[in-house]
């Protein structure tokens, strides 16, 4: 297990280095270069030259990348010239809130998707399977913004049970204190994930039910519930554990829309506002964080895979 972890950590570090290279390239692909994009098209040549010298953009590309990498390692992601605040501090304020929204959505999705997938597999070809499969396809195919609008219309406008705006507190504790306002953003984000996870869970359970070890357990007189709990469920959770890690990029795109709809003060809303105001340092900072989160999610998925299936540890 130790050798497996060391190898995966090494691969993750290489990918993180490539992510830093991609962000560096994107920075230099900005219209007119970093200085012109940040200072604006009306900046004087003198101001542009001073900015380039101050930031090291008048040096060779290898030297610039070394400076760029050193800043990243020290947590310096640049300055938001629209908000007059460092990108690192902005992300530090918003990232925990997005992590809370994403974490609650993933937890809700996992809690509901596992039993729903098992039910569909056990009741394969029957009414429950058809109804749940149809609902899963509908939820998966429906855009996130449309799901949010429907939930707002039903639960906020017509039934008046839940507020249409997300919590506006500055801290995670404050957001959790306003739990009713958190329900619609979490449910909106989770619905599509539940649909996808339940389909994968159904397929995994069906594949395992057809295995020889299940027939052997049945021949020994073990009950269906015991076989499901002790044998099938552990193996069927392997693809779901992988999906939990690999779903982070998709989850961020979903939270971006949800945070914009419900005015949730997270990283997605920060990215949306930065895109509207052409705040390129913030856009690149968020892109870097999402890239790092994707790599870490993939690493966690590999670790979970190895824990659930020890055979994976010996794969080169």
């Amino acid at each position: 297990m130790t050798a497996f972890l060391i190898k995966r950590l090494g691969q993750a570090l290489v990918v993180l280095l490539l992510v830093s290279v991609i962000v560096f390239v994107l920075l230099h692909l900005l219209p007119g270069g970093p200085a012109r994009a940040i200072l604006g098209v009306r900046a004087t040549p003198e101001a542009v030259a001073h900015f380039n010298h101050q930031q090291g953009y008048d040096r060779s590309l290898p030297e610039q990348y070394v400076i760029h990498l050193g800043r990243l390692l020290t947590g310096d992601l640049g300055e938001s010239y629209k908000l007059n605040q460092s990108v690192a501090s902005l992300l530090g304020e918003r990232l925990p809130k997005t992590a809370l929204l994403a974490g609650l959505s993933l937890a809700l999705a996992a809690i509901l998707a596992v039993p729903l997938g098992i039910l569909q597999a056990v009741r394969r070809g029957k009414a429950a399977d058809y109804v749940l499969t149809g609902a899963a396809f509908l939820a998966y195919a429906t855009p996130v913004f449309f799901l949010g609008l429907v939930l707002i219309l039903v639960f906020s406008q017509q039934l008046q049970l839940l507020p249409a705006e997300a919590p506006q507190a500055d801290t995670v504790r404050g957001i959790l204190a306003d739990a009713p306002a958190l329900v619609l953003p979490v449910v909106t984000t989770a619905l599509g994930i539940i649909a996808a996870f339940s389909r994968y869970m159904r397929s995994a359970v069906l594949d395992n039910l057809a295995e020889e070890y299940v027939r052997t357990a049945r021949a020994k007189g073990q009950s269906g519930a015991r076989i499901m709990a002790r044998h099938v469920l552990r193996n069927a959770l392997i693809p779901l554990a992988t999906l939990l890690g690999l779903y982070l990029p998709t989850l961020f795109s979903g939270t971006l829309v949800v945070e914009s709809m419900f005015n949730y003060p997270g990283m997605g809303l920060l990215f949306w506002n930065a895109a509207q105001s052409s705040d390129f340092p913030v856009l690149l900072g968020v892109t870097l964080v999402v890239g790092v989160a994707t790599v870490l999610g993939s690493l966690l998925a590999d670790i979970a895979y190895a824990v659930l299936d020890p055979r994976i540890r010996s794969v080169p």
Side-chain angles (χ1 to χ4, degrees):
M1 185 68 174
T2 303
F4 174 84
L5 290 177
I6 293 174
K7 182 177 180 180
R8 289 296 185 266
L9 283 172
Q11 293 173 345
L13 290 175
V14 172
V15 176
L16 287 175
L17 187 63
L18 291 176
V19 170
S20 71
V21 172
I22 292 173
V23 172
F24 176 75
V25 172
L26 289 175
L27 182 65
H28 284 75
L29 290 177
L30 294 175
R36 187 66 65 181
I38 292 172
L39 299 180
V41 295
R42 297 182 180 180
T44 63
E46 293 78 12
V48 171
H50 177 73
F51 180 86
N52 286 333
H53 179 72
Q54 187 181 38
Q55 299 296 323
Y57 292 137
D58 55 351
R59 304 185 183 184
S60 64
L61 285 177
E63 289 179 301
Q64 290 185 45
Y65 176 70
V66 172
I67 296 173
H68 169 75
L69 188 59
R71 288 172 176 170
L72 292 182
L73 292 176
T74 57
D76 184 3
L77 301 179
E79 188 86 10
S80 170
Y81 294 92
K82 305 291 183 180
L83 301 175
N84 294 320
Q85 189 175 347
S86 68
V87 176
S89 63
L90 285 171
L91 294 178
E93 294 171 0
R94 304 297 186 97
L95 184 57
K97 301 172 186 177
T98 296
L100 174 66
L101 176 61
L104 291 175
S105 302
L106 275 177
L108 178 63
I111 291 171
L112 295 180
V114 171
L116 287 176
I118 294 174
L119 178 61
Q120 291 178 72
V122 173
R123 308 292 294 178
R124 180 183 183 184
K126 297 184 179 180
D129 183 27
Y130 288 127
V131 171
L132 291 175
T133 298
F137 281 136
L138 181 62
Y140 190 75
T142 305
V144 175
F145 73 88
F146 186 76
L147 286 174
L149 289 175
V150 171
L151 291 177
I152 291 174
L153 179 64
V154 174
F155 293 99
S156 180
Q157 299 297 323
Q158 295 185 353
L159 299 179
Q160 297 185 353
L161 295 176
L162 298 168
E165 186 178 55
Q168 299 299 304
D170 294 329
T171 63
V172 171
R173 179 177 297 181
I175 290 176
L176 289 173
D178 192 8
L182 195 58
V183 172
L184 288 184
V186 170
V187 173
T188 303
T189 308
L191 280 176
I193 307 174
I194 294 171
F197 282 10
S198 65
R199 296 301 300 164
Y200 278 102
M201 193 66 191
R202 177 184 183 274
S203 299
V205 171
L206 286 175
D207 290 341
N208 281 276
L209 287 175
E211 293 291 337
E212 186 67 32
Y213 71 87
V214 173
R215 289 193 289 269
T216 301
R218 286 173 177 166
K220 291 181 178 180
Q222 294 186 21
S223 65
R226 183 180 178 85
I227 293 172
M228 183 65 67
R230 295 195 59 181
H231 303 289
V232 175
L233 187 58
R234 178 186 178 91
N235 293 324
L237 284 175
I238 293 177
L240 188 61
T242 305
L243 281 173
L244 285 172
L246 300 179
Y247 224 75
L248 285 178
T250 304
L251 186 61
F252 172 74
S253 64
T255 55
L256 190 153
V257 176
V258 170
E259 289 181 10
S260 302
M261 288 185 60
F262 294 96
N263 197 32
Y264 183 84
M267 200 166 63
L269 183 60
L270 176 67
F271 186 88
W272 177 262
N273 292 333
Q276 290 183 318
S277 61
S278 299
D279 196 346
F280 294 110
V282 173
L283 294 176
L284 292 174
V286 173
T287 302
L288 178 66
V289 170
V290 174
V292 171
T294 302
V295 173
L296 293 179
S298 179
L299 178 63
L300 292 175
D302 287 339
I303 294 174
Y305 210 121
V307 171
L308 292 171
D309 189 354
R311 296 172 299 176
I312 302 300
R313 304 172 195 173
S314 60
V315 176

